[in-house]
């Protein structure tokens, strides 16, 4: 091994050792007692999501029967949050679990990307810097949500969680006797108080192995806040200061020796680990509540990823020959929208990306079905001078905008003019695990009218042109469906199939080149509406049920399924849901073909590629890019939808079906598994899970089941590493992203082709190639420089994809980086609420409350230098809220709030949010007065049921008090 390579591996080991002792453990522990960042994050997200659903149910007069505690699972919360009767419908928690996993994996990534940053871990008494990390991150999350960029907001939120949670492990907040979170950490307008200064000694030496009493008594008596110093290489620290502690902390060997961290039960202050973890959960929930109030309940649930349905995403060619295709896209989308509107299966979001040449976009993403309908109605087919179109550029926009694991449909009859983006699109498919299906019309012959021309230009979308789309469909687990325009309405049945709830892939395989073969798949009792897709040219097939009944390809309506044909697609819908067991399908064809079996079931799984970090405690982090050929590969697998599933095997099998690799399973609890594959060779692989499910009242024995991931896992002999040292940048800034490429084979010196593309089309520069020379350690370095326009909206998300290809164009690997554009927030003050007037009209008798109203008027401002009031909503109360805007004496805008309610509801809580997400609560109460108040206005009388006026001395006056409560 060369010296350069040795230095790289040494740095990896150093950083991995640092990861193991620097915080709450990121993902996994094996002592059975310690709490990780993963568990803290999941508990907080599940509990807060459940609380929001509980409050929504209460406001709608619905029951909410779920105990909110640390035993919650994604499935439990998903079911409880469902607004309708779930007994007859299928619910999948896979999307919700994916969102939670994204958050805790990005939480864990802080230990890799910011491993030596004190402020990201509240080490070295960096309380101001640590709070800045939190509050800037929260501002970025709120800006992302405001633009509907929930995925970007989720990734930033995970990183913010890490820093916030570390505070309770690394500081002495717990040792000071605090039982509640330090709320000032999420409130930048409040001062951090009682901080130990640099000259204040904070610790004394530990006694032997015990560090239980190493904090100085005077520090505790004064209530001063401190945190431990940490350094992997030097023992230097200010005199008398506490250390983080642990074997790798060099400062802990210098007086005062020892440490104060509570990262796990074996840490310096390990006996307080559980208390610190509990506070970290509470603090995470408090931060989530702040975001909830700022963005509203519906957007908060979208941010958490709580969805009962997938998105509807169309990428549509709008050139002259596409009028029939556009009309069919309208028809099928309107049919889906209208059939699901107002139901639990209503589509969660709608995405539309038009493309032609020379334009693509703009991307339209909305949760409003009528906006989507209006947008697709406005599409028209025109132009198209030359034949190829910018189909991949449009697809790139959709892949980066859609949530992970979305299904995207591309309509076109033209080759890709931007075929150079193939490696970028493949990287995005693998990174997002989205499924792409191409609707290719008139592949063998089509006609496109030139703009302004009176004659048509003939052209053929050849099979070589279609091969690009077939390759991308195969990589994603989608299909390349080739039909005539007249048969397109038959083929779009697959779009309706995908829009159903809880769709899972049971089996999928591709044969290229095609050979006759037999395939088996298992149908379990939880599956409904099982559907088979077979794509390919001339072929025959035979389907056989577990009971031995067969149906041939010549039978459109047979004993097992109904069959429809359109172009190269054959769609079989099984006639019954109760034929469980092993099915067989025999294909007779020498042409390339694919088989895909789907169904509806709550039982599903999600997976992530992770990589191990060696060290004293060992852990894993999310791996970006492809695993290395010949090396080990690790997956984090989460099974959703059943608490009674027993997983027996998780395998990688080659997409050609010639090779299968069994994984070594290690259960992490709650349906999570760490799966390790040894010596994965070069190839394209699919992840398949098999097991048994005993969750059935009709079966005495468990039912075998299988599920398969759609997206392929490909190995590579190239490695690409790149990390951004920030998750957000300001408009008008220049971003430099360094990256390193190389080959796992030290002797493979050569030139690598480099592409760097971003989905915002921001101007950028990067090397077009890098040469790895002999003696360079097998690596070469490059930098992508990207210029963010000053006009970029705050909250814009940017995806940068770096792909690297070998000289022979036979091997590719990539790095996908995501960041947000966030304008610097200078307005950190919360809005101010002042009472203008109150009413005193409520009767003393509760029996009369329904016939009386009380009212208050308040003036809400954000100050002269503030960003302005964005929203005022009723958090508690059953009255009516009205607002108007006037100009104040100093030129500031004043929002006049008028709230009126029945005297039966004598409390109101308003949330006031400014344009950058600063949140305040304005609380008003009607309170009784036992003495008559002086009369300063016209006399008021109340008429009793007998019609006789009551004197003031016989009335119990009720005054309305408005208090301002900032939370």
């Amino acid at each position: 091994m060369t010296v350069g390579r040795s230095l790289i591996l040494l740095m990896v080991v150093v950083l991995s050792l640092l990861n193991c002792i620097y915080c709450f453990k990121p993902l996994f522990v094996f002592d059975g007692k310690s709490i990780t960042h993963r568990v803290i994050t999941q508990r907080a997200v599940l509990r807060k999501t459940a609380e929001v659903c509980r409050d929504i149910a209460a406001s709608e007069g619905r029951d909410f029967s779920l105990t909110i505690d640390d035993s919650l699972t994604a499935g439990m919360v998903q079911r409880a949050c469902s607004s309708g009767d779930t007994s007859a419908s299928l619910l999948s928690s896979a999307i919700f679990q994916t969102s939670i996993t994204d958050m805790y994996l990005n939480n864990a990534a802080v230990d890799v990307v910011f491993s030596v940053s004190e402020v990201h871990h509240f080490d070295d008494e960096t309380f101001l810097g640590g709070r800045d990390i939190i509050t800037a991150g929260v501002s970025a999350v709120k800006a992302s949500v405001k633009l509907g960029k929930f995925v970007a907001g989720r990734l930033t939120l995970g990183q913010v969680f890490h820093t916030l949670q570390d505070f309770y492990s690394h500081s002495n907040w717990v040792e000071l006797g605090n039982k509640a979170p330090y709320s000032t950490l999420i409130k930048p307008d409040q001062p951090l108080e009682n901080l130990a200064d640099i000259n204040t000694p904070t610790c004394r030496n530990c006694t032997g192995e015990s560090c239980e009493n190493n904090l100085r008594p005077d520090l505790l008596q004064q209530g001063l806040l401190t945190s431990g110093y940490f350094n992997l290489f030097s023992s230097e620290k200010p005199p008398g200061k506490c250390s983080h502690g642990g074997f790798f902390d060099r400062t802990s060997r210098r007086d005062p020796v020892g440490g104060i961290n509570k990262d796990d039960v074996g840490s310096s202050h390990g006996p307080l680990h559980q208390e610190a973890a509990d506070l970290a959960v509470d603090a995470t929930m408090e931060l989530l509540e702040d975001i909830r109030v700022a963005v509203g309940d519906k957007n908060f649930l979208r941010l958490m990823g709580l969805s009962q349905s997938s998105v509807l995403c169309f990428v549509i060619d709008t050139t002259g020959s596409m009028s029939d295709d556009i009309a069919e896209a309208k028809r099928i989308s309107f049919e889906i929208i209208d059939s699901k509107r107002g139901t639990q299966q209503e589509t969660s979001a709608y995405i539309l990306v038009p493309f032609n040449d020379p334009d693509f976009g703009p991307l339209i993403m909305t949760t409003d079905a009528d906006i989507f309908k209006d947008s697709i109605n406005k599409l028209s087919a025109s132009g198209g001078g030359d034949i190829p179109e910018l189909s991949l550029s449009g697809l790139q926009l959709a892949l980066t905008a859609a949530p992970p694991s979305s299904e995207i449909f591309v309509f076109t009859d033209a080759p890709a003019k931007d075929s150079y983006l193939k490696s970028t699109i493949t990287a995005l498919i693998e990174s997002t695990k989205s499924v792409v299906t191409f609707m290719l019309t008139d592949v063998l012959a089509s006609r496109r009218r030139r703009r302004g021309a009176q004659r048509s230009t003939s052209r053929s979308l050849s099979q070589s042109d279609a091969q690009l789309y077939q390759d991308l469909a195969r990589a994603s687990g989608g299909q390349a469906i080739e039909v005539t325009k007249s048969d397109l309405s038959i083929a779009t049945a697959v779009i309706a199939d995908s829009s159903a709830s809880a769709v899972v892939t049971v089996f999928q395989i591709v044969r290229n080149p095609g050979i006759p073969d037999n395939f088996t798949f298992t149908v379990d009792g939880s599956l409904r509406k099982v559907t088979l897709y077979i794509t390919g040219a001339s072929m025959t097939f035979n389907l056989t049920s577990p009971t031995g009944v067969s149906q041939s390809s010549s039978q459109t309506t047979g004993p097992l399924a109904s069959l429809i044909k359109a172009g190269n697609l054959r769609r079989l819908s099984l006639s019954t849901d109760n034929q469980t067991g092993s099915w067989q399908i025999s294909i007779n064809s020498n042409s390339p073909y694919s088989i895909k079996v789907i169904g509806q079931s709550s039982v599903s799984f999600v997976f992530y590629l992770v990589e191990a970090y060696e060290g004293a405690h060992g852990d894993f982090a999310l791996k970006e890019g492809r695993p290395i050929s010949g090396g080990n590969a690790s997956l984090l697998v989460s099974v959703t939808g059943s608490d009674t599933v027993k997983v027996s095997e998780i395998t990688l099998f080659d997409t050609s079906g010639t090779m299968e690799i069994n994984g070594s399973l290690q259960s992490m609890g709650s349906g999570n598994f760490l799966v390790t594959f040894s010596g994965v060779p070069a190839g394209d692989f699919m992840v398949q899970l098999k097991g048994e499910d005993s969750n059935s009242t009709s079966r005495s024995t468990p039912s075998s089941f299988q599920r398969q991931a759609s997206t392929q896992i490909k190995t590579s002999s190239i490695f690409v590493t790149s990390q951004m040292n920030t998750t957000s940048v300001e408009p008008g800034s220049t971003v430099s992203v360094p990256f390193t490429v190389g080959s796992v084979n030290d002797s493979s010196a050569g030139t690598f082709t480099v592409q760097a593309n971003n989905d915002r089309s921001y101007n950028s520069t990067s090397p077009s190639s890098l040469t790895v020379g002999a003696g360079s350690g097998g690596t070469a370095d490059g930098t992508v420089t990207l210029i963010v326009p000053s006009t970029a909206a705050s909250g814009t998300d940017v995806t940068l994809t770096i792909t690297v290809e070998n000289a022979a164009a036979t091997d590719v690997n990539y790095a996908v980086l995501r960041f947000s554009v966030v304008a610097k927030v200078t307005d950190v003050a919360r809005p101010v609420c002042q009472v203008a007037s109150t009413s005193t009209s409520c009767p003393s008798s509760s029996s009369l409350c329904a016939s009386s109203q009380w009212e208050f008027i308040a003036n809400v401002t954000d100050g002269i230098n503030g960003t302005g009031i964005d929203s005022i909503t009723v958090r508690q109360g059953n009255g009516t809220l009205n607002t108007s805007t006037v100009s104040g004496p100093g030129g500031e805008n004043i929002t006049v709030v008028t709230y009126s309610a029945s005297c039966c509801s004598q409390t109101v809580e308003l949330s006031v949010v400014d344009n950058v997400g600063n949140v305040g609560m304005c609380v008003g109460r009607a309170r009784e007065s036992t003495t008559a108040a002086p009369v300063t206005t016209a006399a008021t009388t109340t008429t009793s049921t007998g019609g006789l006026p009551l004197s003031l001395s016989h009335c119990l006056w009720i005054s309305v008090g408005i208090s301002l409560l900032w939370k």
Side-chain angles (χ1 to χ4, degrees):
M1 181 178 291
T2 64
V3 174
R5 190 70 183 280
S6 300
L7 289 175
I8 292 171
L9 292 180
L10 174 61
M11 182 57 68
V12 170
V13 172
V14 166
L15 291 178
S16 64
L17 294 178
L18 188 60
N19 294 337
C20 296
I21 43 82
Y22 208 45
C23 60
F24 286 121
K25 305 310 172 192
L27 295 178
F28 307 120
V29 291
F30 303 96
D31 59 23
K33 300 177 182 178
S34 300
I35 310 298
T36 64
H37 278 291
R38 174 177 68 91
V39 174
I40 292 169
T41 298
Q42 182 154 293
R43 285 179 178 175
V45 169
L46 291 173
R47 285 170 54 183
K48 180 52 63 176
T49 302
E51 286 182 3
V52 174
C53 291
R54 179 198 61 197
D55 295 347
I56 292 175
S59 69
E60 296 176 351
R62 294 185 287 107
D63 291 333
F64 184 85
S65 55
L66 180 68
T67 301
I68 300 177
D69 56 23
D70 289 340
S71 67
L72 294 177
T73 65
M76 293 166 63
V77 175
Q78 181 88 50
R79 287 190 293 272
C81 290
S82 174
S83 58
D85 179 17
T86 61
S87 60
S89 62
L90 287 172
L91 293 176
S92 173
S93 58
I95 297 174
F96 189 25
Q97 183 61 58
T98 297
S99 301
I100 295 172
T101 305
D102 284 341
M103 284 185 273
Y104 68 60
L105 286 176
N106 278 273
N107 182 324
V110 173
D111 280 332
V112 178
V113 181
F114 304 106
S115 57
V116 294
S117 169
E118 296 89 353
V119 293
H120 281 84
H121 307 278
F122 277 108
D123 287 319
D124 298 7
E125 299 182 313
T126 54
F127 296 110
L128 288 171
R131 184 174 69 170
D132 288 345
I133 294 293
I134 294 170
T135 56
V138 171
S139 294
V141 172
K142 292 174 180 178
S144 294
V145 172
K146 198 169 186 178
L147 290 187
K149 308 300 182 181
F150 300 108
V151 175
R154 205 174 293 142
L155 303 184
T156 302
L157 187 56
Q159 296 196 355
V160 173
F161 285 163
H162 187 103
T163 301
L164 178 67
Q165 292 163 5
D166 269 1
F167 170 81
Y168 298 93
S169 176
H170 295 180
S171 76
N172 66 328
W173 182 258
V174 174
E175 289 85 343
L176 288 172
N178 293 294
K179 303 299 181 183
Y182 190 22
S183 300
T184 306
L185 292 178
I186 64 172
K187 297 177 179 178
D189 61 336
Q190 293 186 1
L192 294 168
E193 298 177 333
N194 293 342
L195 303 183
D197 63 38
I198 191 68
N199 298 315
T200 300
T202 55
C203 267
R204 55 190 180 184
N205 287 330
C206 295
T207 304
E209 297 296 323
S210 174
C211 290
E212 184 177 350
N213 297 309
N214 63 332
L215 285 166
R216 294 178 64 91
D218 53 339
L219 180 89
L220 299 176
Q221 291 168 3
Q222 297 175 56
L224 297 180
L225 191 62
T226 187
S227 67
Y229 282 72
F230 179 90
N231 199 301
L232 189 66
F233 306 105
S234 171
S235 62
E236 293 295 323
K237 65 179 177 181
K241 288 297 185 181
C242 299
S243 291
H244 177 87
F247 179 78
F248 297 100
D249 179 15
R250 295 288 297 274
T251 73
S252 66
R253 303 172 197 172
R254 182 170 184 166
D255 287 347
V257 298
I260 63 170
N261 85 82
K262 297 163 282 293
D263 292 342
D264 59 32
V265 294
S267 299
S268 302
H269 281 199
L272 297 174
H273 167 77
Q274 184 66 56
E275 193 172 344
D278 289 343
L279 273 177
V281 172
D282 293 342
T284 306
M285 292 180 65
E286 182 182 51
L287 183 146
L288 288 171
E289 177 65 16
D290 176 79
I291 294 173
R292 169 198 179 182
V293 175
V295 304
D297 287 350
K298 288 185 178 180
N299 278 337
F300 177 81
L301 294 180
R302 293 186 183 113
L303 177 64
M304 294 299 99
L306 187 72
S307 174
Q308 299 177 29
S309 60
S310 58
V311 301
L312 183 64
C313 183
F314 286 176
V315 180
I316 302 179
D317 184 343
T318 60
T319 42
S321 60
M322 287 292 293
S323 57
D324 293 339
D325 307 59
I326 294 172
E328 176 55 24
K330 292 178 183 178
R331 185 198 68 79
I332 188 64
S333 62
F334 286 15
E335 179 181 295
I336 292 171
I337 290 170
D338 294 340
S339 65
K340 297 179 183 296
R341 194 191 292 264
T343 71
Q344 291 185 64
Q345 289 76 42
E346 185 170 2
T347 303
S348 59
Y350 305 89
I351 298 173
L352 178 64
V353 184
F355 68 88
N356 47 56
D357 178 28
D359 298 319
F360 60 94
L363 178 140
I364 298 165
M365 185 170 182
T366 179
T367 58
D368 189 325
D370 291 327
I371 292 177
F372 179 81
K373 277 187 168 185
D374 183 62
S375 298
I376 201 170
N377 255 333
K378 291 178 179 177
L379 293 183
S380 60
S382 62
D386 58 351
I387 303 304
E389 310 298 343
L390 299 177
S391 55
L392 299 194
S393 296
L395 179 54
Q396 181 183 16
L397 287 182
L399 283 166
T400 57
S405 303
S406 293
E407 189 134 6
I408 299 170
F409 294 92
V410 181
F411 293 79
T412 187
D413 63 359
K417 188 171 187 176
D418 46 6
S419 58
Y420 63 88
L421 286 175
K422 179 181 180 182
S423 59
T424 296
I425 297 299
T426 304
L428 291 172
I429 284 171
E430 294 179 16
S431 179
T432 63
K433 300 184 182 66
S434 288
V435 176
V436 182
T437 291
F438 294 89
M439 296 291 179
L440 307 175
T441 51
D442 292 352
V443 171
L444 297 181
S446 66
R447 304 177 67 83
R448 178 160 304 205
R449 185 175 299 276
R450 294 183 184 273
R451 187 188 307 271
Q454 297 301 312
R455 60 183 179 85
S456 296
T457 300
S458 298
R459 73 102 172 90
S460 294
L461 177 60
S462 66
Q463 283 298 328
S464 61
D465 293 329
Q467 188 62 50
L468 168 65
Y469 298 135
Q470 293 167 4
D471 291 345
L472 294 175
R474 176 182 177 181
S476 72
Q479 302 171 83
I481 299 173
E482 303 171 6
V483 294
T484 62
K485 293 184 182 295
S486 60
D487 284 344
L488 181 60
S489 61
I490 302 173
T492 53
V494 303
I495 302 177
D497 294 340
S498 72
S499 69
S501 61
V503 175
V504 298
T505 299
V506 179
F507 176 76
Q508 186 166 4
I509 200 160
V510 176
R511 282 285 188 266
N512 188 10
I515 56 171
D517 209 342
N518 300 319
F519 306 94
T520 60
F521 59 92
T522 301
V523 173
D524 61 89
S526 72
L527 282 167
R528 303 181 190 174
K529 297 184 179 179
V530 178
T531 305
L532 287 75
Y533 304 118
I534 306 171
T535 58
S538 57
M539 69 168 64
T540 60
F541 64 84
N542 195 71
L543 178 67
T544 305
S545 73
T547 60
V549 178
S550 294
Q551 179 175 333
S552 71
S553 53
S554 62
Q555 297 174 279
T556 56
T557 303
L560 300 178
S562 59
L563 168 65
I564 61 172
K565 300 178 182 179
N568 69 341
L569 172 70
R570 294 143 183 89
R571 175 183 178 271
L572 293 97
S573 178
L574 295 193
S575 304
T576 178
D577 287 332
N578 59 9
Q579 291 200 37
T580 60
S582 180
W583 289 67
Q584 178 176 291
I585 184 165
S586 301
I587 303 290
N588 184 17
S589 177
N590 291 311
S591 300
Y593 61 86
S594 68
I595 304 171
K596 184 173 185 177
V597 183
I598 66 166
Q600 291 178 260
S601 171
S602 296
V603 180
S604 185
F605 79 97
V606 296
F607 80 90
Y608 290 81
L609 273 167
V610 295
E611 56 187 346
Y613 284 88
E614 307 278 336
H617 300 284
D619 212 338
F620 293 79
L622 180 67
K623 175 175 176 54
E624 190 64 72
R626 295 174 173 175
I628 298 301
S629 301
N632 297 340
S634 297
L635 301 181
L636 171 61
V637 175
S638 298
V639 181
T640 64
S642 176
D643 298 328
T644 58
V645 162
K646 181 180 179 181
V647 177
S648 59
E649 62 180 76
I650 298 176
T651 59
L652 294 178
F653 70 90
D654 185 89
T655 54
S656 64
T658 59
M659 182 178 7
E660 186 172 299
I661 305 171
N662 291 319
S664 174
L665 277 64
Q666 186 170 10
S667 176
M668 299 289 110
S670 302
N672 296 302
F673 297 88
L674 182 61
V675 189
T676 303
F677 301 92
S678 300
V680 181
D684 304 344
F685 298 91
M686 308 288 280
V687 182
Q688 188 175 76
L689 181 148
K690 293 183 178 180
E692 295 182 337
D693 186 8
S694 58
N695 184 21
S696 174
T697 58
S698 61
R699 296 190 304 268
S700 58
T701 58
S703 170
S704 297
F705 76 95
Q706 73 177 62
R707 298 290 185 269
Q708 187 170 311
S710 296
T711 309
Q712 293 181 4
I713 293 178
K714 298 184 179 183
T715 61
S716 176
S717 295
I718 303 170
F719 62 85
V720 184
T721 58
S722 182
Q723 293 177 354
M724 291 188 65
N725 59 6
T726 182
T727 57
S728 61
V729 298
E730 295 184 29
S733 61
T734 299
V735 184
S736 294
V737 182
F739 64 96
T740 299
V741 303
S743 172
V744 294
N745 186 346
D746 287 344
S747 63
S748 298
T751 299
F752 296 87
T753 301
V754 178
Q755 283 191 27
N757 294 288
N758 71 86
D759 61 335
R760 297 297 169 187
S761 299
Y762 292 165
N763 291 332
S764 67
T765 59
S766 61
S768 59
S769 63
L770 289 174
T771 300
V772 177
S776 64
T779 65
D781 297 326
T783 300
V784 178
T785 302
L786 187 146
I787 301 173
V788 180
S790 59
T791 55
S794 185
T796 301
D797 59 324
V798 183
T799 301
L800 172 65
T801 308
I802 303 171
T803 60
V804 179
E805 187 175 43
N806 65 358
T810 57
D811 196 2
V812 177
N813 210 338
Y814 60 86
V816 177
L817 301 101
R818 299 172 177 86
F819 61 93
S820 298
V821 179
V822 182
K824 186 176 181 179
V825 176
T826 57
D827 175 14
V828 298
R830 285 164 290 170
V832 176
C833 178
Q834 293 181 328
V835 177
S837 64
T838 63
S839 68
T840 56
S841 59
C842 282
S844 59
S845 173
S846 59
S847 63
L848 301 176
C849 66
S851 60
S852 302
Q853 296 279 316
W854 66 281
E855 180 185 77
F856 78 85
I857 300 174
N859 294 329
V860 176
T861 64
D862 197 36
I864 295 177
N865 297 320
T867 52
I869 301 300
D870 179 67
S871 66
I872 301 174
T873 56
V874 178
R875 296 278 296 162
Q876 179 183 345
N878 296 319
T880 301
L881 177 69
N882 292 297
T883 63
S884 60
T885 304
V886 299
S887 181
E892 72 276 16
N893 288 327
I894 298 175
T895 300
V896 181
V897 177
T898 304
Y899 176 84
S900 60
S902 162
C903 286
C904 299
S905 175
Q906 297 185 6
T907 300
V908 62
E909 181 180 296
L910 302 178
S911 65
V912 184
V913 183
D914 67 16
N915 282 308
V916 292
N918 294 313
V919 175
M921 298 290 188
C922 191
V923 179
R925 298 182 180 91
R927 56 180 182 265
E928 295 182 353
S929 175
T930 57
T931 60
V935 178
T936 57
T937 60
T940 302
T941 61
T942 303
T943 303
S944 70
T945 55
L948 297 175
L950 302 176
S951 68
L952 292 178
S953 61
H954 292 97
C955 292
L956 177 65
W957 278 85
I958 298 178
S959 64
V960 181
I962 308 300
S963 62
L964 191 62
L965 181 60
W966 297 118
K967 298 179 180 178

